[in-house]
Short mmCIF file of all heavy atoms in Angstrom, two decimals:
data_model
loop_
_atom_site.label_atom_id
_atom_site.label_comp_id
_atom_site.label_asym_id
_atom_site.label_seq_id
_atom_site.Cartn_x
_atom_site.Cartn_y
_atom_site.Cartn_z
N ALA B 200 -84.40 -24.93 383.90
CA ALA B 200 -85.33 -23.84 384.20
C ALA B 200 -85.74 -23.83 385.66
O ALA B 200 -85.94 -22.76 386.25
CB ALA B 200 -86.56 -23.94 383.30
N ASP B 201 -85.85 -25.03 386.26
CA ASP B 201 -86.26 -25.11 387.66
C ASP B 201 -85.26 -24.46 388.60
O ASP B 201 -85.60 -24.06 389.70
CB ASP B 201 -86.48 -26.58 388.06
CG ASP B 201 -87.81 -27.09 387.51
OD1 ASP B 201 -88.69 -26.25 387.25
OD2 ASP B 201 -87.94 -28.31 387.33
N LYS B 202 -84.00 -24.39 388.15
CA LYS B 202 -82.95 -23.81 389.01
C LYS B 202 -82.80 -22.32 388.79
O LYS B 202 -82.10 -21.64 389.52
CB LYS B 202 -81.60 -24.51 388.72
CG LYS B 202 -81.57 -25.96 389.20
CD LYS B 202 -80.23 -26.60 388.85
CE LYS B 202 -80.37 -27.48 387.62
NZ LYS B 202 -79.11 -27.89 387.02
N LYS B 203 -83.47 -21.80 387.74
CA LYS B 203 -83.28 -20.37 387.42
C LYS B 203 -84.13 -19.49 388.33
O LYS B 203 -85.17 -19.90 388.82
CB LYS B 203 -83.60 -20.12 385.95
CG LYS B 203 -82.55 -20.71 385.01
CD LYS B 203 -82.92 -20.50 383.56
CE LYS B 203 -81.84 -21.08 382.65
NZ LYS B 203 -82.27 -21.05 381.24
N ASP B 204 -83.69 -18.26 388.49
CA ASP B 204 -84.31 -17.33 389.42
C ASP B 204 -85.58 -16.71 388.82
O ASP B 204 -85.54 -16.13 387.73
CB ASP B 204 -83.29 -16.24 389.76
CG ASP B 204 -83.85 -15.27 390.78
OD1 ASP B 204 -84.50 -15.74 391.74
OD2 ASP B 204 -83.67 -14.05 390.61
N LEU B 205 -86.70 -16.86 389.51
CA LEU B 205 -87.94 -16.19 389.11
C LEU B 205 -88.39 -15.35 390.30
O LEU B 205 -88.85 -15.88 391.31
CB LEU B 205 -89.00 -17.23 388.73
CG LEU B 205 -90.25 -16.77 387.96
CD1 LEU B 205 -91.06 -17.96 387.47
CD2 LEU B 205 -91.14 -15.83 388.72
N THR B 206 -88.21 -14.05 390.20
CA THR B 206 -88.49 -13.15 391.31
C THR B 206 -89.87 -12.51 391.10
O THR B 206 -90.20 -12.12 389.97
CB THR B 206 -87.44 -12.02 391.35
OG1 THR B 206 -86.16 -12.62 391.31
CG2 THR B 206 -87.57 -11.17 392.59
N VAL B 207 -90.65 -12.40 392.16
CA VAL B 207 -91.93 -11.72 392.07
C VAL B 207 -91.84 -10.39 392.81
O VAL B 207 -91.43 -10.34 393.97
CB VAL B 207 -93.07 -12.58 392.66
CG1 VAL B 207 -94.41 -11.85 392.51
CG2 VAL B 207 -93.12 -13.94 391.98
N TRP B 208 -92.20 -9.31 392.12
CA TRP B 208 -92.21 -7.99 392.75
C TRP B 208 -93.64 -7.47 392.82
O TRP B 208 -94.32 -7.34 391.80
CB TRP B 208 -91.36 -6.99 391.94
CG TRP B 208 -89.89 -7.25 392.03
CD1 TRP B 208 -89.23 -8.01 392.95
CD2 TRP B 208 -88.88 -6.77 391.12
NE1 TRP B 208 -87.88 -8.02 392.68
CE2 TRP B 208 -87.63 -7.27 391.58
CE3 TRP B 208 -88.90 -5.95 389.98
CZ2 TRP B 208 -86.44 -6.99 390.92
CZ3 TRP B 208 -87.72 -5.66 389.33
CH2 TRP B 208 -86.48 -6.18 389.81
N SER B 209 -94.07 -7.14 394.01
CA SER B 209 -95.38 -6.53 394.17
C SER B 209 -95.19 -5.02 394.20
O SER B 209 -94.07 -4.51 394.10
CB SER B 209 -96.01 -6.99 395.48
OG SER B 209 -95.29 -6.42 396.56
N ASN B 210 -96.29 -4.29 394.38
CA ASN B 210 -96.14 -2.84 394.40
C ASN B 210 -95.48 -2.35 395.69
O ASN B 210 -95.04 -1.21 395.75
CB ASN B 210 -97.50 -2.16 394.20
CG ASN B 210 -97.33 -0.72 393.73
OD1 ASN B 210 -96.53 -0.46 392.83
ND2 ASN B 210 -98.02 0.20 394.38
N GLU B 211 -95.37 -3.21 396.69
CA GLU B 211 -94.61 -2.80 397.86
C GLU B 211 -93.15 -2.58 397.49
O GLU B 211 -92.45 -1.78 398.10
CB GLU B 211 -94.71 -3.87 398.96
CG GLU B 211 -95.91 -3.64 399.85
CD GLU B 211 -96.06 -4.71 400.91
OE1 GLU B 211 -95.02 -5.17 401.42
OE2 GLU B 211 -97.21 -5.07 401.20
N ILE B 212 -92.72 -3.32 396.50
CA ILE B 212 -91.33 -3.15 396.03
C ILE B 212 -91.24 -2.05 394.97
O ILE B 212 -90.36 -1.22 395.00
CB ILE B 212 -90.80 -4.51 395.50
CG1 ILE B 212 -90.62 -5.45 396.69
CG2 ILE B 212 -89.49 -4.33 394.74
CD1 ILE B 212 -90.36 -6.87 396.33
N LEU B 213 -92.21 -2.03 394.04
CA LEU B 213 -92.13 -1.04 392.96
C LEU B 213 -92.50 0.36 393.43
O LEU B 213 -92.04 1.36 392.89
CB LEU B 213 -93.05 -1.45 391.79
CG LEU B 213 -92.66 -2.73 391.04
CD1 LEU B 213 -93.62 -2.97 389.88
CD2 LEU B 213 -91.22 -2.68 390.52
N GLN B 214 -93.39 0.46 394.44
CA GLN B 214 -93.75 1.76 395.03
C GLN B 214 -94.31 2.76 394.01
O GLN B 214 -93.90 3.92 393.98
CB GLN B 214 -92.52 2.38 395.71
CG GLN B 214 -92.05 1.63 396.95
CD GLN B 214 -92.97 1.86 398.15
OE1 GLN B 214 -93.54 2.94 398.30
NE2 GLN B 214 -93.15 0.84 398.98
N ILE B 215 -95.25 2.29 393.16
CA ILE B 215 -95.92 3.22 392.25
C ILE B 215 -97.15 3.77 392.98
O ILE B 215 -97.83 3.03 393.70
CB ILE B 215 -96.36 2.51 390.95
CG1 ILE B 215 -95.18 1.75 390.35
CG2 ILE B 215 -96.96 3.49 389.95
CD1 ILE B 215 -95.58 0.77 389.25
N GLU B 216 -97.44 5.06 392.80
CA GLU B 216 -98.62 5.65 393.42
C GLU B 216 -99.86 4.85 393.01
O GLU B 216 -100.12 4.70 391.81
CB GLU B 216 -98.80 7.08 392.90
CG GLU B 216 -97.72 8.00 393.35
CD GLU B 216 -98.32 9.17 394.12
OE1 GLU B 216 -99.53 9.09 394.47
OE2 GLU B 216 -97.58 10.12 394.37
N PRO B 217 -100.65 4.39 393.97
CA PRO B 217 -101.81 3.55 393.62
C PRO B 217 -102.79 4.22 392.66
O PRO B 217 -103.43 3.54 391.87
CB PRO B 217 -102.48 3.29 394.98
CG PRO B 217 -101.38 3.44 395.97
CD PRO B 217 -100.45 4.49 395.43
#
Side-chain angles (χ1 to χ4, degrees):
Chain B
D201 283 336
K202 290 178 259 166
K203 289 178 179 172
D204 183 42
L205 195 171
T206 309
V207 182
W208 290 342
S209 69
N210 200 45
E211 272 178 36
I212 290 169
L213 294 182
Q214 292 286 326
I215 308 167
E216 293 239 12

